[in-house]
Amino acid sequence: METITAAFVRQCLPRRDPEGHKGDFGKVLCICGSVGYTGAPIFASRAAVRTGAGLVFLGVPQSVWPVAAVKSDEAMPFPLPETADGKLSLLAEEPVRQRAAGCDAVLLGCGLGRDWQTDTLVQDLLDMEKPLVLDADGLNAISENAELLQKRPAVTVLTPHEGEFLRLGGDLSRGREAAAAVFSQKYGVYLILKGHRTLIADPEGRLAVNNTGNCGMAKGGSGDVLAGMFAALLCQLPARDAVQTAVWLHGRAGDLCAERMGEYAMNPTDVIAALPEVTKPIIR
């Protein structure tokens, strides 16, 4: 099993083309949020911007759109059809597909909430031929239909903590390493098994472990930040490099926050703000 290092990340992150334009650095589509969960889409989209994506689009339920519009400067929010209680409805499928057609990676799940229409929407969108990050309620939406992952036509990244992993049908009885390797091979996905010493397993069953990060990151919103980073880097790097790089950068930014603020007071917004301090020296 590999350990992700700063040297590896330095090797993966390219210098940006001085003649490049925003279209050269990837277009991310984040489909996130619901009434009561308005922070998740903001964390995810801001993190995608901070991780170098050229353009970030943010699709949220109609009722959430005014909040997202006020909080978004770089990302571009747009409203989507919703259910009576402010979650994405099945009517959102066509506009999501239209937006995704012009993007390079899609993030689906942060703060979506649970509703039969929202769950069905997530399942129906699995056939998109775009790299896809499934996070939070995006994972819960397929928990009883994980076999749908085997039909995915493009790179798929799953980001469960242990509880979500068990709901997906994962088996931790033989330990985290064996569980991650078996699951990633069975379903052909990149599995990010979050927690202390986060594990990354690829579709060939190869494993890597991350040693950056700390318990100050165990707060609501941290996973949304990481999910946005995955989507941004999938636009710019090969999938295996993208997921390992995102996990290391996220943890290292968290370590900088802990050094400055302490683990009690740091928050996901601080982690996003610290990302430039991590990426700048890495690409010198």
Side-chain angles (χ1 to χ4, degrees), residues 6-264:
F8 172 82
V9 173
R10 184 174 293 110
Q11 172 186 305
C12 291
L13 273 184
R15 287 182 176 273
R16 292 183 51 110
D17 182 354
E19 296 183 3
H21 56 80
K22 58 192 176 187
D24 293 330
F25 302 113
K27 300 176 183 177
V28 172
L29 174 62
C30 301
I31 304 299
C32 305
S34 60
V35 169
Y37 294 94
T38 58
I42 302 304
F43 289 139
S45 58
R46 285 180 178 170
V49 171
R50 277 290 192 192
T51 316
L55 290 168
V56 179
F57 301 95
L58 174 59
V60 296
Q62 175 74 49
S63 296
V64 175
W65 178 79
V67 178
V70 169
K71 290 187 174 184
S72 298
D73 294 317
E74 296 90 358
M76 293 166 281
F78 61 94
L80 288 166
E82 63 181 15
T83 63
D85 59 352
K87 299 177 178 66
L88 290 180
S89 81
L90 285 170
L91 295 175
E93 179 175 356
E94 188 54 35
V96 168
R97 289 186 184 277
Q98 290 175 359
R99 293 275 185 167
C103 291
D104 302 295
V106 178
L107 164 60
L108 185 56
C110 304
L112 283 184
R114 299 295 305 278
D115 179 275
W116 75 267
Q117 290 197 55
T118 311
D119 286 1
T120 303
L121 174 67
V122 171
Q123 295 172 26
D124 289 348
L125 290 172
L126 290 180
D127 66 356
M128 290 188 296
E129 296 183 357
K130 299 286 180 177
L132 177 66
V133 180
L134 277 179
D135 182 68
D137 282 326
L139 297 170
N140 292 327
I142 64 165
S143 59
E144 296 180 5
N145 295 280
E147 67 280 357
L148 294 173
L149 294 169
Q150 295 170 324
K151 301 177 182 179
R152 279 276 301 144
V155 167
T156 310
V157 177
L158 307 186
T159 64
H161 54 61
E162 289 188 3
E164 291 165 336
F165 181 66
L166 291 172
R167 285 195 289 275
L168 285 166
D171 179 6
L172 291 168
S173 63
R174 292 184 294 163
R176 284 165 56 88
E177 293 86 354
V182 168
F183 190 96
S184 62
Q185 288 180 293
K186 179 179 179 179
Y187 293 107
V189 300
Y190 289 84
L191 180 75
I192 318 303
L193 188 55
K194 296 187 292 193
H196 177 62
R197 291 172 56 86
T198 290
L199 289 173
I200 300 94
D202 68 21
E204 285 72 49
R206 295 173 295 187
L207 290 171
V209 63
N210 182 55
N211 288 328
T212 62
N214 59 82
C215 63
M217 302 174 76
K219 293 171 182 168
S222 290
D224 305 316
V225 173
L226 181 58
M229 295 175 68
F230 285 136
L233 288 177
L234 283 172
C235 295
Q236 304 171 70
L237 302 174
R240 188 164 180 259
D241 293 349
V243 295
Q244 294 192 28
T245 296
V247 169
W248 189 92
L249 292 174
H250 182 246
R252 179 61 186 140
D255 288 341
L256 290 180
C257 292
E259 290 168 12
R260 289 202 300 265
M261 305 171 186
E263 294 168 343
Y264 275 92

